[in-house]
Amino acid sequence: MARVAVVGAGYVGATTAACLAHLGHEVVCADLDEDLVAALNRAEVPILEAQLPELIREGIAAGRLSFVVGAAKAAEGADFVFLCVNTPQGPGGEADLRYVEAAVSEIAPVLAPGTIVVNKSTMPVGSAATVRALLREAGVADGHVEVATNPEFLQEGTAVREFLNPSRIVIGVETEEAAVRLSLLYRKLQARIIVTDPVSAEMVKYASNAYLATRISFINSVANLCEAVGADVSDVALGMGYDPRIGFAALKPGPGYGGSCLPKDTAALLATAASAGYPFDHLRTTVEVNAAQRERVVEKLRAVAGGTLDGCPVGVWGLAFKAGTDDVRDSPALEIAARLVEEGALITAYDPAASPAAVASAAPAVKVVDDPYDACEGAWLLAVLTEWDEFRWLDFGRVAGLMAGSAVVDARNILDPDALRARGISYEGIGRR
Ligand code: NAD
Ligand code: UGA
């Protein structure tokens, strides 16, 4: 059993803290947000993350998990300090490390000898060295503590399942002792562990997200070509994915990738490439295709509306950046809804989880309702922008009766075109017949 501090209680921090407590460690998790800390100490989890409330309740009840305000309070006496703070996109695309810098300066005075400071936030190549330098500047002598890189690969919505059943654990360290100690922290997971140097571990994280983004942009390009040549991308992806060298992951066409990670991490890797003097043209194209894909959905909706969206009532199903999460950070759905508003459309939207407050602050002109049928009432067209499974099972006879028009644009390819057409609804997907 180890004493672990986790700095940051967001998606990654809260999951890391709850899962490490579940594995038997003694965990103190810190955040700056007093309300968040108070809620988590009552086992109230303000984000939608399957199994997380149960694990937090279990950890608190067992006395192995607590939440505090302030990183120093958590780091005191810890064997490991996991940095899980946000690393947002800076103005030039690069990762903004200001929260990392602040967290390091808070923990530096209290670190015990031999503590391992673990970079779990996604930080650019060279960040283990940066954290080491920051610690030195804050008065921590070389050799007093270790700095390791242990990137996180979880997906939102299924974070707990993935933390406890990881595809791999990557550990970037300078010493064998640190590799052994970090590996032992995870020994109950019996996962594949890859030990490498910190720079390579940092690169694994960015290359993985960039590759996922590349696959999504690739299949979106294939879908667009399918439209031009009359093929159906659903069958094409099926035919490709059964090749074991290709597989099905990240091969679903849609309105482009979004969320708090793929867009910012591709931008950050491009910034790293630029400062290293390498023109990463392949990745640049991935990012450009992604931006164009969001716009393509707007164009499709405009065309279906008859050339203009001005004054057009549009029903929207889905605002979260993907199904299974309440997160609307860099959501393609929300951006598309906001673009439609810019063009004069009158949007009424439904999402089963996206927080109305977050939507209101990002796109105030979008009217949010709490029933999918209400979003259809009087709509000239309906746009499906997030792939929530519940949308498949709605009563499309009722939808047809509520709408003033009869067109559905399914930007996630989740509905059955024949079933809709049989009810008099015209259907358009992405790259589908
Ligand atoms: P988040 O914004 O949900 O949470 C970050 C938390 O850190 C916030 O609650 C913030 O208040 C807190 N924080 C900031 N500075 C602090 C400080 N000095 N002391 C204590 N708390 C502080 O972010 P997230 O989605 O959990 O992502 C965190 C990191 O993990 C990012 O680098 C991200 O790229 C990476 N990551 C995220 C995911 C994901 O699915 N969200 C997956 C893998 C990696
Ligand atoms: C992504 C990665 O999948 C995680 O491995 C990584 O840890 C995480 O980023 C991170 O670094 O934060 P996440 O942001 O939760 O996880 O979302 P994904 O499930 O990868 O989806 C990202 C976006 O791509 C969503 O907008 C989703 O709708 C879209 N997507 C995904 C597609 O359009 N098609 C697909 O086939 C898959």
Side-chain angles (χ1 to χ4, degrees):
M1 187 211 55
R3 286 166 305 169
V4 180
V6 175
V7 181
Y11 286 86
V12 169
T15 303
T16 301
C19 290
L20 288 176
H22 179 69
L23 296 178
H25 303 297
E26 208 173 273
V27 184
V28 183
C29 178
D31 206 283
L32 301 168
D33 181 336
E34 292 180 19
D35 294 339
L36 174 64
V37 166
L40 290 169
N41 274 323
R42 296 191 299 269
E44 289 168 12
V45 182
I47 54 174
L48 180 67
E49 205 47 82
Q51 300 177 58
L52 188 58
E54 291 84 344
L55 280 201
I56 289 183
R57 209 171 300 126
E58 173 198 282
I60 292 172
R64 286 195 301 269
L65 176 62
S66 60
F67 296 89
V68 297
V69 177
K73 220 187 271 180
E76 223 161 336
D79 304 312
F80 299 89
V81 180
F82 279 78
L83 298 178
C84 300
V85 299
N86 32 334
T87 51
Q89 190 171 325
E94 75 290 350
D96 176 350
L97 294 184
R98 86 176 74 161
Y99 300 100
V100 172
E101 287 161 10
V104 170
S105 71
E106 287 170 57
I107 62 170
V110 302
L111 292 175
T115 302
I116 301 184
V117 175
V118 186
N119 289 355
K120 191 168 259 310
S121 293
T122 303
M123 300 186 206
V125 173
S127 294
T130 305
V131 168
R132 220 171 287 122
L134 288 167
L135 286 167
R136 203 178 301 123
E137 274 168 36
V140 178
D142 283 341
H144 183 72
V145 299
E146 283 259 3
V147 178
T149 299
N150 173 213
E152 183 50 63
F153 301 103
L154 62 79
Q155 283 171 269
E156 283 183 26
T158 47
V160 168
R161 193 181 73 204
E162 276 152 22
F163 193 100
L164 296 176
N165 304 281
S167 49
R168 74 288 201 197
I169 292 172
V170 174
I171 292 175
V173 279
E174 302 247 294
T175 68
E176 208 166 295
E177 191 205 332
V180 171
R181 283 178 59 200
L182 257 172
S183 305
L184 285 174
L185 199 64
Y186 292 112
R187 74 172 173 273
K188 284 198 184 160
L189 296 181
Q190 299 183 337
R192 287 182 198 96
I193 294 185
I194 295 152
V195 177
T196 182
D197 57 274
V199 169
S200 303
E202 289 156 352
M203 197 63 196
V204 169
K205 176 61 195 171
Y206 280 96
S208 299
N209 274 2
Y211 181 63
L212 292 169
T214 298
R215 282 179 63 110
I216 296 166
S217 279
F218 181 82
I219 199 66
N220 282 333
S221 300
V222 170
N224 300 341
L225 183 56
C226 281
E227 284 179 8
V229 299
D232 190 317
V233 73
S234 305
D235 291 345
V236 173
L238 200 64
M240 290 168 66
Y242 276 119
D243 185 327
R245 294 168 302 173
I246 296 176
F248 291 102
L251 213 59
K252 286 200 274 306
Y257 57 80
S260 68
C261 294
L262 297 194
K264 88 166 164 60
D265 292 346
T266 44
L269 189 55
L270 279 175
T272 298
S275 63
Y278 176 70
F280 202 155
D281 295 336
H282 195 275
L283 184 56
R284 186 171 305 287
T285 302
T286 287
V287 171
E288 284 166 6
V289 166
N290 196 54
Q293 192 68 9
R294 293 183 183 195
E295 197 52 34
R296 204 176 157 91
V297 174
V298 176
E299 282 162 16
K300 218 179 244 288
L301 284 156
R302 193 190 304 119
V304 168
T308 175
L309 286 156
D310 198 17
C312 178
V314 179
V316 165
W317 283 354
L319 292 168
F321 84 94
K322 64 173 187 178
T325 181
D326 57 344
D327 199 345
V328 294
R329 290 179 289 180
D330 206 345
S331 167
L334 200 54
E335 187 187 319
I336 290 166
R339 284 278 297 108
L340 300 180
V341 167
E342 265 171 39
E343 299 210 10
L346 310 164
I347 307 292
T348 307
Y350 165 77
D351 187 285
S355 125
V359 174
S361 82
V366 171
K367 179 181 169 199
V368 179
V369 292
D370 56 12
D371 180 289
Y373 296 108
D374 289 350
C376 301
E377 211 165 336
W380 294 2
L381 50 107
L382 174 66
V384 180
L385 300 181
T386 309
E387 74 283 21
W388 289 100
D389 196 52
E390 66 173 73
F391 297 157
R392 294 175 205 270
W393 314 111
L394 294 173
D395 175 350
F396 286 95
R398 189 172 163 199
V399 168
L402 286 167
M403 286 176 69
S406 61
V408 170
V409 172
D410 175 10
R412 295 291 191 161
N413 288 357
I414 57 165
L415 304 182
D416 176 355
D418 294 338
L420 265 66
R421 286 173 189 145
R423 285 163 182 78
I425 298 172
S426 78
Y427 174 92
E428 238 193 276
I430 304 285
R432 263 178 129 182
R433 278 209 293 246

